[in-house]
Amino acid sequence: MNYLCLCYYDHDAFMNLSPTDIQAIIEQCKPHDEALRGSGHLKFVGSLGMPEETRTLRSLDGGTVPDDKPYVETKEPIGAFFMIEAEDMDAAEKIAGLHPGAKLSHLFGGGIEIRPVGLFDLL
């Protein structure tokens, strides 16, 4: 079974980090990233731009209208995502726990949401 893991963070806390703090977090992420990759369950991983860089398309009167903000505005936006393969939700939780977001969220808030994916097709 595939699971999409969504990594949330506290926007205000993240924006208050200094460049030195961010570099320290990046260094702390390395062993967690390696553990996740080494698990053999990681399919892909990516990060998202900041919410203020987001554009949303909405349907209106048979057309499409752009909006220069996220679809949902929240204090804890999604900052990264990754797909894993696991036997069940309990196994997915253990695998997702290897991600830096599960180990370092005390530094910038947030956490990881794990969702089962029913259909997955790489083009």
Side-chain angles (χ1 to χ4, degrees), residues 51-122:
E52 46 279 357
E53 300 170 324
T54 300
R55 184 169 294 164
T56 300
L57 299 177
R58 298 180 188 270
S59 175
L60 180 66
D61 297 327
T64 303
V65 178
D67 190 359
D68 289 337
K69 60 184 177 181
Y71 184 74
V72 176
E73 295 186 68
T74 176
K75 182 181 177 191
E76 294 182 323
I78 300 170
F81 57 92
F82 58 100
M83 181 79 75
I84 58 175
E85 186 171 359
E87 277 185 35
D88 55 29
M89 181 59 85
D90 291 333
E93 182 180 329
K94 289 178 184 168
I95 296 163
L98 298 171
H99 187 274
K103 307 290 186 188
L104 303 173
S105 62
H106 63 283
L107 300 173
F108 46 83
I112 298 177
E113 179 179 335
I114 306 165
R115 289 191 181 186
V117 176
L119 175 63
F120 181 62
D121 184 17
L122 287 177

Side-chain angles (χ1 to χ4, degrees), residues 8-85:
Y8 294 87
Y9 64 97
D10 181 302
H11 186 265
D12 293 338
F14 187 80
M15 295 307 289
N16 286 324
L17 294 171
S18 71
T20 303
D21 293 335
I22 291 173
Q23 187 59 41
I25 290 170
I26 290 169
E27 289 302 315
Q28 291 178 58
C29 286
K30 287 181 181 179
H32 303 297
D33 283 335
E34 290 170 10
L36 181 59
R37 282 188 183 88
S39 74
H41 297 276
L42 182 65
K43 292 179 134 331
F44 61 81
V45 63
S47 62
L48 298 173
M50 300 301 285
E52 46 279 357
E53 300 170 324
T54 300
R55 184 169 294 164
T56 300
L57 299 177
R58 298 180 188 270
S59 175
L60 180 66
D61 297 327
T64 303
V65 178
D67 190 359
D68 289 337
K69 60 184 177 181
Y71 184 74
V72 176
E73 295 186 68
T74 176
K75 182 181 177 191
E76 294 182 323
I78 300 170
F81 57 92
F82 58 100
M83 181 79 75
I84 58 175
E85 186 171 359

